[in-house]
Amino acid sequence: MKWTRVLLLQLALLSPMVFAEQTLEVPGPQGPLVGSLLAVSDPQAPMVLIVPGSGPTDHDGNNPLGIRAGAYRLLAQGLAAQGIGSLRIDKRGLFASRAAIANPNQVTMQDYASDVRLWMSFLTQRDRYRCVWLAGHSEGGLVALMAAQNNPDLCGLILLATPGRPMGQVLRSQLQRNPVDRGQLDAALAIIDSLQRGVPVKDVPASLQPLLRPEVQGFLISGFAQDPALLVSRINKPVLIIQGDNDLQVSVQDAKALNAARPGSLLRILPGVNHVLKAVPPGDHDANVAAYGNPDLPLANGVVEPIAQLINGTPR
């Protein structure tokens, strides 16, 4: 474990303060797991670990498949301006953590959750933090829920655009909402049904290979087996659920399901906010999609504020 780089980051638009951003490493299975720590000067400041969403999404919230919104970097900067530190991580096998495993497809949701728990333990043992807040976005919310189970290092949980149903159900809904060939849809739903039963499918049509190819089915099976509503019901620490009502991937109903499963959790529904936590005009599909590629568009109002209020208002 070592500090490898120090970079001064001036958050000119958010605060006149200068924060130190540092690269951290912890041992992964075959090589290091890497994260970026945005610290604040207060030695008693709380710490948030930001867990990235699905696919090849990096610690800034960007993805080579066209997502350049920088949502996690913006979240970290917004929290720093509120006196809250954060750690953004790259998943094992990807980006700065690519040496952690040779084949990034050979992972499970349990692997990702174990890595998050490792990071939490590292922060509490190496640094001054009594406990760590987890903020999971999208699929990262499910990883955070898994990592939070019976975890003494947990301060509380923030779920950002997190599904309230098992991943298989969410994927079915997303496919059914898209105008695709009926035969292709039927084939996809049949494969999902099989994976939900824990049974891999070898023969996947070419059109479905990007989503359901055999190489990623082990990961999908591990994710489909998790019920986020059940997981959140077992959390005995503060829980905040943030969901935009202009989200093309996760619904307000998902957020309400999580809220209902965990009495006492806080629910914030943000009008006009999409999946990457940006405000876009309601009903404007093109503007919604364009926001995924716009790092200059700030996070929507109402994203950072309730997180900071919860964390700074919770006794340490």
Side-chain angles (χ1 to χ4, degrees):
M1 302 180 184
K2 61 180 180 179
W3 300 82
T4 59
R5 177 172 58 89
V6 176
L7 171 68
L8 291 182
L9 177 65
Q10 174 68 55
L11 305 182
L13 298 179
L14 295 171
S15 168
M17 299 174 65
V18 175
F19 303 99
E21 183 162 313
Q22 299 157 323
T23 297
L24 301 183
E25 292 183 0
V26 296
Q30 301 171 14
L33 297 166
V34 181
S36 182
L37 181 77
L38 187 56
V40 295
S41 58
D42 181 1
Q44 301 301 316
M47 172 59 56
V48 178
L49 197 164
I50 300 172
V51 184
S54 62
T57 299
D58 70 11
H59 68 279
D60 284 336
N62 298 326
N63 184 312
L65 302 178
I67 300 177
R68 297 183 296 276
Y72 308 157
R73 173 180 51 80
L74 293 172
L75 176 59
Q77 293 173 357
L79 291 173
Q82 297 291 328
I84 299 168
S86 63
L87 175 67
R88 314 189 310 277
I89 59 174
D90 283 330
K91 295 186 285 188
R92 69 164 69 180
L94 296 173
F95 306 106
S97 298
R98 59 187 173 273
I101 189 170
N103 185 350
N105 290 323
Q106 293 180 345
V107 296
T108 64
M109 291 290 283
Q110 288 82 0
D111 291 333
Y112 286 156
S114 294
D115 292 344
V116 169
R117 291 178 72 98
L118 177 63
W119 277 116
M120 295 173 72
S121 178
F122 171 78
L123 289 169
T124 56
Q125 291 178 17
R126 183 203 178 282
D127 288 314
R128 59 186 178 271
Y129 307 106
R130 177 182 62 82
C131 59
V132 176
W133 290 83
L134 285 184
H137 175 248
S138 191
E139 182 186 281
L142 179 56
V143 175
L145 281 164
M146 296 170 65
Q149 301 297 303
N150 301 311
N151 190 338
D153 295 325
L154 179 73
C155 296
L157 192 60
I158 297 109
L159 300 175
L160 303 163
T162 297
R165 300 161 288 162
M167 286 171 53
Q169 295 181 25
V170 175
L171 186 55
R172 288 177 66 92
S173 297
Q174 291 175 347
L175 289 171
Q176 289 169 333
R177 286 198 305 268
N178 289 327
V180 296
D181 175 80
R182 182 67 202 186
Q184 179 180 331
L185 176 61
D186 289 344
L189 297 182
I191 295 171
I192 292 171
D193 286 343
S194 182
L195 298 179
Q196 287 177 316
R197 297 192 303 271
V199 179
V201 177
K202 292 183 178 180
D203 296 324
V204 178
S207 60
L208 299 177
Q209 286 282 331
L211 184 64
L212 298 169
R213 63 191 183 278
E215 292 82 359
V216 301
Q217 289 181 13
F219 173 77
L220 293 175
I221 288 171
S222 74
F224 288 2
Q226 305 300 320
D227 182 349
L230 178 61
L231 291 172
V232 77
S233 73
R234 298 171 174 167
I235 302 298
N236 61 1
K237 299 291 179 66
V239 176
L240 170 63
I241 302 157
I242 296 178
Q243 178 63 49
D245 70 0
N246 209 358
D247 191 325
L248 300 175
Q249 294 163 260
V250 176
S251 71
V252 169
Q253 286 69 35
D254 284 293
K256 289 181 176 179
L258 293 169
N259 181 231
R262 172 56 169 81
S265 61
L266 303 175
L267 175 63
R268 298 290 181 267
I269 304 298
L270 305 183
V273 175
N274 72 357
H275 192 66
V276 292
L277 309 176
K278 308 290 182 84
V280 293
D284 190 334
H285 184 272
D286 291 343
N288 198 326
V289 173
Y292 283 62
N294 186 355
D296 297 323
L297 186 65
L299 291 185
N301 292 331
V303 174
V304 174
E305 294 84 352
I307 300 174
Q309 289 168 6
L310 173 64
I311 293 175
N312 286 329
T314 300
R316 301 177 200 154

